[in-house]
mmCIF file with all atom_site columns, all heavy atoms in Angstrom:
data_model
loop_
_atom_site.group_PDB
_atom_site.id
_atom_site.type_symbol
_atom_site.label_atom_id
_atom_site.label_alt_id
_atom_site.label_comp_id
_atom_site.label_asym_id
_atom_site.label_entity_id
_atom_site.label_seq_id
_atom_site.pdbx_PDB_ins_code
_atom_site.Cartn_x
_atom_site.Cartn_y
_atom_site.Cartn_z
_atom_site.occupancy
_atom_site.B_iso_or_equiv
_atom_site.pdbx_formal_charge
_atom_site.auth_seq_id
_atom_site.auth_comp_id
_atom_site.auth_asym_id
_atom_site.auth_atom_id
_atom_site.pdbx_PDB_model_num
ATOM 1   N N   . ASP A 1 231 ? -54.513 7.226  64.924 1.00 73.00 ? 316 ASP A N   1
ATOM 2   C CA  . ASP A 1 231 ? -53.061 7.102  64.718 1.00 73.00 ? 316 ASP A CA  1
ATOM 3   C C   . ASP A 1 231 ? -52.538 5.761  65.225 1.00 73.00 ? 316 ASP A C   1
ATOM 4   O O   . ASP A 1 231 ? -51.440 5.363  64.808 1.00 73.00 ? 316 ASP A O   1
ATOM 5   C CB  . ASP A 1 231 ? -52.327 8.240  65.453 1.00 73.00 ? 316 ASP A CB  1
ATOM 6   C CG  . ASP A 1 231 ? -52.670 9.602  64.859 1.00 73.00 ? 316 ASP A CG  1
ATOM 7   O OD1 . ASP A 1 231 ? -53.122 9.626  63.720 1.00 73.00 ? 316 ASP A OD1 1
ATOM 8   O OD2 . ASP A 1 231 ? -52.501 10.606 65.593 1.00 73.00 ? 316 ASP A OD2 1
ATOM 9   N N   . GLN A 1 232 ? -53.260 5.123  66.111 1.00 75.00 ? 317 GLN A N   1
ATOM 10  C CA  . GLN A 1 232 ? -52.796 3.842  66.625 1.00 75.00 ? 317 GLN A CA  1
ATOM 11  C C   . GLN A 1 232 ? -53.185 2.658  65.735 1.00 75.00 ? 317 GLN A C   1
ATOM 12  O O   . GLN A 1 232 ? -52.764 1.537  65.996 1.00 75.00 ? 317 GLN A O   1
ATOM 13  C CB  . GLN A 1 232 ? -53.398 3.625  68.051 1.00 75.00 ? 317 GLN A CB  1
ATOM 14  C CG  . GLN A 1 232 ? -53.186 4.799  68.990 1.00 75.00 ? 317 GLN A CG  1
ATOM 15  C CD  . GLN A 1 232 ? -51.731 5.086  69.224 1.00 75.00 ? 317 GLN A CD  1
ATOM 16  O OE1 . GLN A 1 232 ? -50.885 4.162  69.288 1.00 75.00 ? 317 GLN A OE1 1
ATOM 17  N NE2 . GLN A 1 232 ? -51.388 6.386  69.350 1.00 75.00 ? 317 GLN A NE2 1
ATOM 18  N N   . LEU A 1 233 ? -53.995 2.906  64.724 1.00 76.00 ? 318 LEU A N   1
ATOM 19  C CA  . LEU A 1 233 ? -54.480 1.834  63.838 1.00 76.00 ? 318 LEU A CA  1
ATOM 20  C C   . LEU A 1 233 ? -53.414 1.534  62.795 1.00 76.00 ? 318 LEU A C   1
ATOM 21  O O   . LEU A 1 233 ? -52.482 2.297  62.562 1.00 76.00 ? 318 LEU A O   1
ATOM 22  C CB  . LEU A 1 233 ? -55.772 2.260  63.143 1.00 76.00 ? 318 LEU A CB  1
ATOM 23  C CG  . LEU A 1 233 ? -56.967 2.574  64.074 1.00 76.00 ? 318 LEU A CG  1
ATOM 24  C CD1 . LEU A 1 233 ? -58.125 3.062  63.245 1.00 76.00 ? 318 LEU A CD1 1
ATOM 25  C CD2 . LEU A 1 233 ? -57.359 1.358  64.889 1.00 76.00 ? 318 LEU A CD2 1
ATOM 26  N N   . GLY A 1 234 ? -53.596 0.363  62.151 1.00 78.00 ? 319 GLY A N   1
ATOM 27  C CA  . GLY A 1 234 ? -52.734 0.010  61.038 1.00 78.00 ? 319 GLY A CA  1
ATOM 28  C C   . GLY A 1 234 ? -53.017 0.857  59.799 1.00 78.00 ? 319 GLY A C   1
ATOM 29  O O   . GLY A 1 234 ? -53.926 1.675  59.781 1.00 78.00 ? 319 GLY A O   1
ATOM 30  N N   . LEU A 1 235 ? -52.229 0.637  58.735 1.00 81.00 ? 320 LEU A N   1
ATOM 31  C CA  . LEU A 1 235 ? -52.349 1.441  57.535 1.00 81.00 ? 320 LEU A CA  1
ATOM 32  C C   . LEU A 1 235 ? -53.737 1.310  56.887 1.00 81.00 ? 320 LEU A C   1
ATOM 33  O O   . LEU A 1 235 ? -54.391 2.330  56.608 1.00 81.00 ? 320 LEU A O   1
ATOM 34  C CB  . LEU A 1 235 ? -51.251 1.042  56.549 1.00 81.00 ? 320 LEU A CB  1
ATOM 35  C CG  . LEU A 1 235 ? -51.207 1.858  55.255 1.00 81.00 ? 320 LEU A CG  1
ATOM 36  C CD1 . LEU A 1 235 ? -50.976 3.330  55.544 1.00 81.00 ? 320 LEU A CD1 1
ATOM 37  C CD2 . LEU A 1 235 ? -50.126 1.318  54.317 1.00 81.00 ? 320 LEU A CD2 1
ATOM 38  N N   . LEU A 1 236 ? -54.193 0.101  56.652 1.00 86.00 ? 321 LEU A N   1
ATOM 39  C CA  . LEU A 1 236 ? -55.470 -0.084 55.977 1.00 86.00 ? 321 LEU A CA  1
ATOM 40  C C   . LEU A 1 236 ? -56.663 0.368  56.858 1.00 86.00 ? 321 LEU A C   1
ATOM 41  O O   . LEU A 1 236 ? -57.551 1.064  56.341 1.00 86.00 ? 321 LEU A O   1
ATOM 42  C CB  . LEU A 1 236 ? -55.651 -1.561 55.585 1.00 86.00 ? 321 LEU A CB  1
ATOM 43  C CG  . LEU A 1 236 ? -54.757 -2.027 54.404 1.00 86.00 ? 321 LEU A CG  1
ATOM 44  C CD1 . LEU A 1 236 ? -55.007 -3.483 54.112 1.00 86.00 ? 321 LEU A CD1 1
ATOM 45  C CD2 . LEU A 1 236 ? -55.011 -1.174 53.166 1.00 86.00 ? 321 LEU A CD2 1
ATOM 46  N N   . PRO A 1 237 ? -56.702 0.011  58.168 1.00 82.00 ? 322 PRO A N   1
ATOM 47  C CA  . PRO A 1 237 ? -57.803 0.531  58.988 1.00 82.00 ? 322 PRO A CA  1
ATOM 48  C C   . PRO A 1 237 ? -57.806 2.066  59.079 1.00 82.00 ? 322 PRO A C   1
ATOM 49  O O   . PRO A 1 237 ? -58.862 2.698  59.088 1.00 82.00 ? 322 PRO A O   1
ATOM 50  C CB  . PRO A 1 237 ? -57.543 -0.116 60.348 1.00 82.00 ? 322 PRO A CB  1
ATOM 51  C CG  . PRO A 1 237 ? -56.775 -1.331 60.062 1.00 82.00 ? 322 PRO A CG  1
ATOM 52  C CD  . PRO A 1 237 ? -55.917 -0.964 58.907 1.00 82.00 ? 322 PRO A CD  1
ATOM 53  N N   . ARG A 1 238 ? -56.621 2.662  59.113 1.00 82.00 ? 323 ARG A N   1
ATOM 54  C CA  . ARG A 1 238 ? -56.547 4.118  59.181 1.00 82.00 ? 323 ARG A CA  1
ATOM 55  C C   . ARG A 1 238 ? -57.058 4.744  57.902 1.00 82.00 ? 323 ARG A C   1
ATOM 56  O O   . ARG A 1 238 ? -57.747 5.741  57.914 1.00 82.00 ? 323 ARG A O   1
ATOM 57  C CB  . ARG A 1 238 ? -55.117 4.564  59.450 1.00 82.00 ? 323 ARG A CB  1
ATOM 58  C CG  . ARG A 1 238 ? -54.965 6.056  59.768 1.00 82.00 ? 323 ARG A CG  1
ATOM 59  C CD  . ARG A 1 238 ? -53.517 6.496  59.793 1.00 82.00 ? 323 ARG A CD  1
ATOM 60  N NE  . ARG A 1 238 ? -52.682 5.586  60.595 1.00 82.00 ? 323 ARG A NE  1
ATOM 61  C CZ  . ARG A 1 238 ? -51.368 5.643  60.613 1.00 82.00 ? 323 ARG A CZ  1
ATOM 62  N NH1 . ARG A 1 238 ? -50.724 6.542  59.871 1.00 82.00 ? 323 ARG A NH1 1
ATOM 63  N NH2 . ARG A 1 238 ? -50.689 4.800  61.374 1.00 82.00 ? 323 ARG A NH2 1
ATOM 64  N N   . PHE A 1 239 ? -56.697 4.118  56.746 1.00 84.00 ? 324 PHE A N   1
ATOM 65  C CA  . PHE A 1 239 ? -57.182 4.633  55.467 1.00 84.00 ? 324 PHE A CA  1
ATOM 66  C C   . PHE A 1 239 ? -58.687 4.491  55.355 1.00 84.00 ? 324 PHE A C   1
ATOM 67  O O   . PHE A 1 239 ? -59.383 5.377  54.835 1.00 84.00 ? 324 PHE A O   1
ATOM 68  C CB  . PHE A 1 239 ? -56.471 3.921  54.319 1.00 84.00 ? 324 PHE A CB  1
ATOM 69  C CG  . PHE A 1 239 ? -56.832 4.432  52.950 1.00 84.00 ? 324 PHE A CG  1
ATOM 70  C CD1 . PHE A 1 239 ? -56.452 5.686  52.561 1.00 84.00 ? 324 PHE A CD1 1
ATOM 71  C CD2 . PHE A 1 239 ? -57.565 3.639  52.088 1.00 84.00 ? 324 PHE A CD2 1
ATOM 72  C CE1 . PHE A 1 239 ? -56.815 6.188  51.283 1.00 84.00 ? 324 PHE A CE1 1
ATOM 73  C CE2 . PHE A 1 239 ? -57.909 4.100  50.819 1.00 84.00 ? 324 PHE A CE2 1
ATOM 74  C CZ  . PHE A 1 239 ? -57.543 5.381  50.439 1.00 84.00 ? 324 PHE A CZ  1
ATOM 75  N N   . ALA A 1 240 ? -59.211 3.339  55.853 1.00 86.00 ? 325 ALA A N   1
ATOM 76  C CA  . ALA A 1 240 ? -60.664 3.135  55.808 1.00 86.00 ? 325 ALA A CA  1
ATOM 77  C C   . ALA A 1 240 ? -61.370 4.168  56.697 1.00 86.00 ? 325 ALA A C   1
ATOM 78  O O   . ALA A 1 240 ? -62.442 4.687  56.336 1.00 86.00 ? 325 ALA A O   1
ATOM 79  C CB  . ALA A 1 240 ? -60.992 1.708  56.279 1.00 86.00 ? 325 ALA A CB  1
ATOM 80  N N   . ASP A 1 241 ? -60.789 4.471  57.842 1.00 83.00 ? 326 ASP A N   1
ATOM 81  C CA  . ASP A 1 241 ? -61.365 5.479  58.729 1.00 83.00 ? 326 ASP A CA  1
ATOM 82  C C   . ASP A 1 241 ? -61.337 6.859  58.074 1.00 83.00 ? 326 ASP A C   1
ATOM 83  O O   . ASP A 1 241 ? -62.279 7.636  58.199 1.00 83.00 ? 326 ASP A O   1
ATOM 84  C CB  . ASP A 1 241 ? -60.566 5.500  60.040 1.00 83.00 ? 326 ASP A CB  1
ATOM 85  C CG  . ASP A 1 241 ? -61.107 6.541  61.004 1.00 83.00 ? 326 ASP A CG  1
ATOM 86  O OD1 . ASP A 1 241 ? -62.170 6.270  61.617 1.00 83.00 ? 326 ASP A OD1 1
ATOM 87  O OD2 . ASP A 1 241 ? -60.458 7.590  61.188 1.00 83.00 ? 326 ASP A OD2 1
ATOM 88  N N   . TYR A 1 242 ? -60.247 7.118  57.360 1.00 83.00 ? 327 TYR A N   1
ATOM 89  C CA  . TYR A 1 242 ? -60.123 8.404  56.636 1.00 83.00 ? 327 TYR A CA  1
ATOM 90  C C   . TYR A 1 242 ? -61.214 8.526  55.550 1.00 83.00 ? 327 TYR A C   1
ATOM 91  O O   . TYR A 1 242 ? -61.863 9.574  55.411 1.00 83.00 ? 327 TYR A O   1
ATOM 92  C CB  . TYR A 1 242 ? -58.733 8.487  56.032 1.00 83.00 ? 327 TYR A CB  1
ATOM 93  C CG  . TYR A 1 242 ? -58.546 9.521  54.948 1.00 83.00 ? 327 TYR A CG  1
ATOM 94  C CD1 . TYR A 1 242 ? -58.468 10.871 55.247 1.00 83.00 ? 327 TYR A CD1 1
ATOM 95  C CD2 . TYR A 1 242 ? -58.442 9.134  53.617 1.00 83.00 ? 327 TYR A CD2 1
ATOM 96  C CE1 . TYR A 1 242 ? -58.299 11.810 54.247 1.00 83.00 ? 327 TYR A CE1 1
ATOM 97  C CE2 . TYR A 1 242 ? -58.254 10.057 52.615 1.00 83.00 ? 327 TYR A CE2 1
ATOM 98  C CZ  . TYR A 1 242 ? -58.201 11.412 52.927 1.00 83.00 ? 327 TYR A CZ  1
ATOM 99  O OH  . TYR A 1 242 ? -58.011 12.318 51.948 1.00 83.00 ? 327 TYR A OH  1
ATOM 100 N N   . LEU A 1 243 ? -61.414 7.446  54.761 1.00 85.00 ? 328 LEU A N   1
ATOM 101 C CA  . LEU A 1 243 ? -62.453 7.455  53.736 1.00 85.00 ? 328 LEU A CA  1
ATOM 102 C C   . LEU A 1 243 ? -63.836 7.617  54.358 1.00 85.00 ? 328 LEU A C   1
ATOM 103 O O   . LEU A 1 243 ? -64.697 8.289  53.772 1.00 85.00 ? 328 LEU A O   1
ATOM 104 C CB  . LEU A 1 243 ? -62.385 6.166  52.896 1.00 85.00 ? 328 LEU A CB  1
ATOM 105 C CG  . LEU A 1 243 ? -61.147 5.967  52.035 1.00 85.00 ? 328 LEU A CG  1
ATOM 106 C CD1 . LEU A 1 243 ? -61.238 4.636  51.304 1.00 85.00 ? 328 LEU A CD1 1
ATOM 107 C CD2 . LEU A 1 243 ? -60.969 7.123  51.020 1.00 85.00 ? 328 LEU A CD2 1
ATOM 108 N N   . TRP A 1 244 ? -64.028 6.986  55.486 1.00 87.00 ? 329 TRP A N   1
ATOM 109 C CA  . TRP A 1 244 ? -65.322 7.087  56.187 1.00 87.00 ? 329 TRP A CA  1
ATOM 110 C C   . TRP A 1 244 ? -65.615 8.537  56.567 1.00 87.00 ? 329 TRP A C   1
ATOM 111 O O   . TRP A 1 244 ? -66.752 9.010  56.494 1.00 87.00 ? 329 TRP A O   1
ATOM 112 C CB  . TRP A 1 244 ? -65.264 6.186  57.422 1.00 87.00 ? 329 TRP A CB  1
ATOM 113 C CG  . TRP A 1 244 ? -66.500 6.108  58.252 1.00 87.00 ? 329 TRP A CG  1
ATOM 114 C CD1 . TRP A 1 244 ? -67.778 5.914  57.792 1.00 87.00 ? 329 TRP A CD1 1
ATOM 115 C CD2 . TRP A 1 244 ? -66.612 6.236  59.667 1.00 87.00 ? 329 TRP A CD2 1
ATOM 116 N NE1 . TRP A 1 244 ? -68.666 5.899  58.828 1.00 87.00 ? 329 TRP A NE1 1
ATOM 117 C CE2 . TRP A 1 244 ? -67.989 6.067  60.009 1.00 87.00 ? 329 TRP A CE2 1
ATOM 118 C CE3 . TRP A 1 244 ? -65.686 6.408  60.687 1.00 87.00 ? 329 TRP A CE3 1
ATOM 119 C CZ2 . TRP A 1 244 ? -68.437 6.139  61.313 1.00 87.00 ? 329 TRP A CZ2 1
ATOM 120 C CZ3 . TRP A 1 244 ? -66.120 6.447  62.001 1.00 87.00 ? 329 TRP A CZ3 1
ATOM 121 C CH2 . TRP A 1 244 ? -67.492 6.308  62.321 1.00 87.00 ? 329 TRP A CH2 1
ATOM 122 N N   . HIS A 1 245 ? -64.582 9.283  56.972 1.00 84.00 ? 330 HIS A N   1
ATOM 123 C CA  . HIS A 1 245 ? -64.780 10.672 57.383 1.00 84.00 ? 330 HIS A CA  1
ATOM 124 C C   . HIS A 1 245 ? -64.961 11.639 56.220 1.00 84.00 ? 330 HIS A C   1
ATOM 125 O O   . HIS A 1 245 ? -65.662 12.634 56.367 1.00 84.00 ? 330 HIS A O   1
ATOM 126 C CB  . HIS A 1 245 ? -63.583 11.125 58.254 1.00 84.00 ? 330 HIS A CB  1
ATOM 127 C CG  . HIS A 1 245 ? -63.685 10.720 59.694 1.00 84.00 ? 330 HIS A CG  1
ATOM 128 N ND1 . HIS A 1 245 ? -63.398 9.445  60.109 1.00 84.00 ? 330 HIS A ND1 1
ATOM 129 C CD2 . HIS A 1 245 ? -64.042 11.404 60.810 1.00 84.00 ? 330 HIS A CD2 1
ATOM 130 C CE1 . HIS A 1 245 ? -63.553 9.361  61.437 1.00 84.00 ? 330 HIS A CE1 1
ATOM 131 N NE2 . HIS A 1 245 ? -63.941 10.548 61.881 1.00 84.00 ? 330 HIS A NE2 1
ATOM 132 N N   . ILE A 1 246 ? -64.335 11.373 55.100 1.00 85.00 ? 331 ILE A N   1
ATOM 133 C CA  . ILE A 1 246 ? -64.414 12.327 53.993 1.00 85.00 ? 331 ILE A CA  1
ATOM 134 C C   . ILE A 1 246 ? -65.605 12.076 53.050 1.00 85.00 ? 331 ILE A C   1
ATOM 135 O O   . ILE A 1 246 ? -65.824 12.855 52.137 1.00 85.00 ? 331 ILE A O   1
ATOM 136 C CB  . ILE A 1 246 ? -63.128 12.350 53.160 1.00 85.00 ? 331 ILE A CB  1
ATOM 137 C CG1 . ILE A 1 246 ? -62.946 11.016 52.373 1.00 85.00 ? 331 ILE A CG1 1
ATOM 138 C CG2 . ILE A 1 246 ? -61.935 12.651 54.019 1.00 85.00 ? 331 ILE A CG2 1
ATOM 139 C CD1 . ILE A 1 246 ? -61.825 11.065 51.389 1.00 85.00 ? 331 ILE A CD1 1
ATOM 140 N N   . THR A 1 247 ? -66.383 11.013 53.305 1.00 87.00 ? 332 THR A N   1
ATOM 141 C CA  . THR A 1 247 ? -67.458 10.687 52.375 1.00 87.00 ? 332 THR A CA  1
ATOM 142 C C   . THR A 1 247 ? -68.469 11.798 52.237 1.00 87.00 ? 332 THR A C   1
ATOM 143 O O   . THR A 1 247 ? -68.795 12.222 51.108 1.00 87.00 ? 332 THR A O   1
ATOM 144 C CB  . THR A 1 247 ? -68.181 9.398  52.867 1.00 87.00 ? 332 THR A CB  1
ATOM 145 O OG1 . THR A 1 247 ? -67.251 8.304  52.847 1.00 87.00 ? 332 THR A OG1 1
ATOM 146 C CG2 . THR A 1 247 ? -69.352 9.066  51.919 1.00 87.00 ? 332 THR A CG2 1
ATOM 147 N N   . LEU A 1 248 ? -68.980 12.337 53.343 1.00 87.00 ? 333 LEU A N   1
ATOM 148 C CA  . LEU A 1 248 ? -69.994 13.387 53.267 1.00 87.00 ? 333 LEU A CA  1
ATOM 149 C C   . LEU A 1 248 ? -69.447 14.692 52.723 1.00 87.00 ? 333 LEU A C   1
ATOM 150 O O   . LEU A 1 248 ? -70.073 15.289 51.836 1.00 87.00 ? 333 LEU A O   1
ATOM 151 C CB  . LEU A 1 248 ? -70.624 13.590 54.637 1.00 87.00 ? 333 LEU A CB  1
ATOM 152 C CG  . LEU A 1 248 ? -71.483 12.457 55.178 1.00 87.00 ? 333 LEU A CG  1
ATOM 153 C CD1 . LEU A 1 248 ? -72.200 12.866 56.452 1.00 87.00 ? 333 LEU A CD1 1
ATOM 154 C CD2 . LEU A 1 248 ? -72.500 11.964 54.147 1.00 87.00 ? 333 LEU A CD2 1
ATOM 155 N N   . PRO A 1 249 ? -68.289 15.180 53.191 1.00 87.00 ? 334 PRO A N   1
ATOM 156 C CA  . PRO A 1 249 ? -67.783 16.460 52.615 1.00 87.00 ? 334 PRO A CA  1
ATOM 157 C C   . PRO A 1 249 ? -67.465 16.345 51.115 1.00 87.00 ? 334 PRO A C   1
ATOM 158 O O   . PRO A 1 249 ? -67.769 17.273 50.357 1.00 87.00 ? 334 PRO A O   1
ATOM 159 C CB  . PRO A 1 249 ? -66.537 16.789 53.429 1.00 87.00 ? 334 PRO A CB  1
ATOM 160 C CG  . PRO A 1 249 ? -66.294 15.631 54.304 1.00 87.00 ? 334 PRO A CG  1
ATOM 161 C CD  . PRO A 1 249 ? -67.511 14.797 54.365 1.00 87.00 ? 334 PRO A CD  1
ATOM 162 N N   . ILE A 1 250 ? -66.912 15.227 50.694 1.00 87.00 ? 335 ILE A N   1
ATOM 163 C CA  . ILE A 1 250 ? -66.613 15.074 49.276 1.00 87.00 ? 335 ILE A CA  1
ATOM 164 C C   . ILE A 1 250 ? -67.887 15.014 48.457 1.00 87.00 ? 335 ILE A C   1
ATOM 165 O O   . ILE A 1 250 ? -67.993 15.607 47.376 1.00 87.00 ? 335 ILE A O   1
ATOM 166 C CB  . ILE A 1 250 ? -65.782 13.793 49.043 1.00 87.00 ? 335 ILE A CB  1
ATOM 167 C CG1 . ILE A 1 250 ? -64.394 13.948 49.709 1.00 87.00 ? 335 ILE A CG1 1
ATOM 168 C CG2 . ILE A 1 250 ? -65.570 13.538 47.558 1.00 87.00 ? 335 ILE A CG2 1
ATOM 169 C CD1 . ILE A 1 250 ? -63.566 15.090 49.233 1.00 87.00 ? 335 ILE A CD1 1
ATOM 170 N N   . THR A 1 251 ? -68.903 14.277 48.969 1.00 87.00 ? 336 THR A N   1
ATOM 171 C CA  . THR A 1 251 ? -70.165 14.202 48.235 1.00 87.00 ? 336 THR A CA  1
ATOM 172 C C   . THR A 1 251 ? -70.790 15.574 48.108 1.00 87.00 ? 336 THR A C   1
ATOM 173 O O   . THR A 1 251 ? -71.354 15.929 47.062 1.00 87.00 ? 336 THR A O   1
ATOM 174 C CB  . THR A 1 251 ? -71.111 13.255 49.010 1.00 87.00 ? 336 THR A CB  1
ATOM 175 O OG1 . THR A 1 251 ? -70.511 11.994 49.149 1.00 87.00 ? 336 THR A OG1 1
ATOM 176 C CG2 . THR A 1 251 ? -72.429 13.103 48.257 1.00 87.00 ? 336 THR A CG2 1
ATOM 177 N N   . ALA A 1 252 ? -70.725 16.379 49.160 1.00 85.00 ? 337 ALA A N   1
ATOM 178 C CA  . ALA A 1 252 ? -71.293 17.714 49.096 1.00 85.00 ? 337 ALA A CA  1
ATOM 179 C C   . ALA A 1 252 ? -70.563 18.614 48.080 1.00 85.00 ? 337 ALA A C   1
ATOM 180 O O   . ALA A 1 252 ? -71.183 19.409 47.384 1.00 85.00 ? 337 ALA A O   1
ATOM 181 C CB  . ALA A 1 252 ? -71.247 18.377 50.479 1.00 85.00 ? 337 ALA A CB  1
#
Side-chain angles (χ1 to χ4, degrees):
D316 295 339
Q317 309 300 323
L318 300 175
L320 182 60
L321 289 180
R323 190 190 311 170
F324 183 68
D326 180 75
Y327 164 74
L328 293 179
W329 183 47
H330 278 77
I331 68 171
T332 298
L333 292 188
I335 295 300
T336 303

